[in-house]
Amino acid sequence: MQSERMDSRFRGNDGTKRGKDGTQRVSDGTKRGSDGTQRVNDNAEPSTTIRRVHAREVLDSRGVPTVEVDVTVASGARGRAIVPSGASTGRHEALEFRDGDPDRYQGKGVRHAVRHVNEVLGPAVLGVDAGCQHEVDAILVDTDGTANLTRLGGNAVLGVSLAAAHAAAACVGLPLYRYLGGSLGRELPVPMVNILSGGLHARGIVDFQDFLLIPVGAQSFSDALVMVRNVYHAMGKILTARGASTLVADEGGLAPASGGSESRTGVNRTEFYANESAVRLLIEAIEQAGYHPGEDAALGLDVAATHFYQDGRYRLSAESRTLSSEEMVALLTRWVDDYPIISIEDGLAEDDWDGWQALTAQVGNRVQLIGDDLFVTNVRRLQMGIARGAANAVLVKVNQVGTLTAAIATLRLARAHGYLPVVSARSGETEDATIADLAVGANAGQIKIGSITRSERLAKYNQLLRIEEELGAYGVYRGRKVFTHFLDTL
Ligand code: 2PG
Ligand code: MG
């Protein structure tokens, strides 16, 4: 990623600086903005120098408060970021600082985190070049001073980190993906899209969290969304025909077991309780939409197993049974044998290293095994996994680790060791679309945003459509090729 001062990267051959529109800074140090106004630029410091940092409390897609940060740099350019929030969080994640006042948002307010930005983190980065992301991030992390950002909050730190990147990108007149990835960032990610939801995102009737569609056979990102929409629609029709609910869960996936009662609807809800039924329903929907399961569209799971792991056993409450780690590995292995599943996230709990190693040894050569709660986007945790041969892919969630620099370090480490990175949203999201740009800028290859309903999800999908249009023929969508380095069956 970018590491030097952006100013020096955008000099013309003659040493003059040019904006995106090709405007040339005049030699007296002034620059004209697109509106024709003249901005005085002190040659002694870059135009990306942070001049103002301001945070406020806003709400996310669950109506839960979160931190929004505006960073303004010397040129007057402003960047804004809103921090996402998880429900099925891993215990090794950076701390999300909440007020804890039961009389306000059930304790979930973020006024303290906002104050930490406005009174501590913001002042600490004033005068720092937002174009030097890792300098900004190092100062933020040092100012907090704890390993998991427990003093000031990962949510406070991340807001400043991301807003600084947006401000620097705006200042040099580049879209964020181009600012982050330079001319090399051009890959549209393969989306893995939530069609059926369970677990903590759907009030916990089906234990597994996500039943995902992976449009590996699409020729482009926009074609992939067509396929997703067709399958989603087919699933809606299947559920309606069986009298099941088509209400959606936190990430927009359909949650058939969440509504109505068996006696009222006559629905055999057992059909929607069993985790394996959801897999079968998804295959049915792919076929009804006219596609070949496994060829056009493959299946992915986010088991999110940490959340039903208690006292050393996996508790499938929907199925009224508990499984040992070995039995869980056996169950997932059988599913990989029986169904066109090419990706399993958090198939085991965050500290069940033995289970992870066993699952990786069993199916790691033919299925993507993503560590989410296991790695929490943390270089140290990923190094542990690499050393133990656990998983072969990593979920990259910026708020698990608190800075853009740290998230990118995890992504790079993954790649260096043949682990596939998957950039991911959280279940609590907003209109912030930073991760869409991050996925393209970093050529991550895959993205997980949730379903194709709910505007906080569409903010990212639509941003990817814009980027696809902007990149034109220069853009790449690799589809199934993303998976070929460990999936010779595809
Ligand atoms: C996950 C995420 C996103 P949450 O488990 O991968 O789907 O959920 O943000 O609730 O942790
Ligand atoms: Mg997950």
Side-chain angles (χ1 to χ4, degrees), residues 40-329:
V40 178
N41 192 10
D42 176 2
N43 279 331
E45 67 171 9
S47 51
T48 41
T49 302
I50 297 175
R51 283 280 165 75
R52 182 168 186 263
V53 178
H54 180 72
R56 64 182 67 81
E57 184 183 69
V58 296
L59 298 184
D60 73 12
S61 53
R62 286 190 277 241
V64 174
T66 190
V67 178
E68 174 174 273
V69 178
D70 292 344
V71 166
T72 310
V73 293
S75 69
R78 194 199 66 186
R80 170 173 291 169
I82 314 179
V83 176
S85 172
S88 63
T89 47
R91 77 183 178 94
H92 304 285
E93 293 190 20
L95 179 91
E96 189 176 66
F97 208 107
R98 300 247 174 229
D99 296 341
D101 172 0
D103 295 334
R104 197 170 173 275
Y105 289 120
Q106 292 79 42
K108 294 191 169 179
V110 290
R111 283 182 167 173
H112 285 102
V114 163
R115 200 171 315 125
H116 294 163
V117 174
N118 290 336
E119 294 176 10
V120 187
L121 295 166
V125 295
L126 285 185
V128 177
D129 184 356
C132 297
Q133 186 72 41
H134 38 298
E135 194 177 324
V136 173
D137 289 345
I139 292 169
L140 294 173
V141 169
D142 286 354
T143 304
D144 178 274
T146 66
N148 271 358
L149 307 177
T150 48
R151 193 171 81 84
L152 301 173
N155 45 352
V157 169
L158 182 69
V160 182
S161 176
L162 297 183
H166 279 284
C171 178
V172 298
L174 290 172
L176 187 65
Y177 72 92
R178 176 60 53 85
Y179 170 76
L180 292 173
S183 59
L184 300 179
R186 64 194 188 107
E187 181 169 347
L188 276 307
V190 175
M192 54 170 71
V193 185
N194 185 320
I195 304 292
L196 290 173
S197 293
L200 295 182
H201 296 170
R203 312 300 161 256
I205 295 180
V206 177
D207 304 288
F208 290 13
Q209 184 173 283
D210 294 343
F211 299 86
L212 303 138
L213 186 82
I214 309 180
V216 288
Q219 296 305 307
S220 66
F221 179 78
S222 42
D223 283 355
L225 290 192
V226 173
M227 193 182 284
V228 169
R229 164 66 194 163
N230 288 343
V231 174
Y232 189 90
H233 186 67
M235 182 66 86
K237 287 211 300 210
I238 290 170
L239 298 181
T240 303
R242 295 182 196 182
S245 164
T246 52
L247 290 175
V248 302
D250 286 5
E251 297 193 359
L254 294 158
S258 66
S261 72
E262 192 166 342
S263 55
R264 189 169 59 78
T265 61
V267 175
N268 173 9
R269 293 180 73 208
T270 317
E271 183 181 9
F272 303 115
Y273 284 178
N275 294 293
E276 194 164 348
S277 302
V279 174
R280 294 210 195 95
L281 277 173
L282 184 46
I283 292 170
E284 199 180 322
I286 292 171
E287 284 168 343
Q288 278 215 9
Y291 301 115
H292 296 292
E295 285 172 39
D296 301 317
L299 268 59
L301 304 170
D302 181 1
V303 178
T306 303
H307 301 282
F308 53 84
Y309 185 66
Q310 277 166 23
D311 308 321
R313 292 192 66 86
Y314 292 91
R315 298 181 180 276
L316 304 182
S317 49
E319 300 174 17
S320 306
R321 58 177 177 148
T322 72
L323 302 181
S324 67
S325 183
E326 293 76 16
E327 288 166 336
M328 193 70 184
V329 171

Side-chain angles (χ1 to χ4, degrees), residues 88 209-210 302 304 345-346 372-373 395 397 448:
S88 63
Q209 184 173 283
D210 294 343
D302 181 1
E345 177 182 329
D346 280 358
D372 171 11
D373 293 348
L395 211 67
K397 290 169 164 171
K448 189 179 80 158

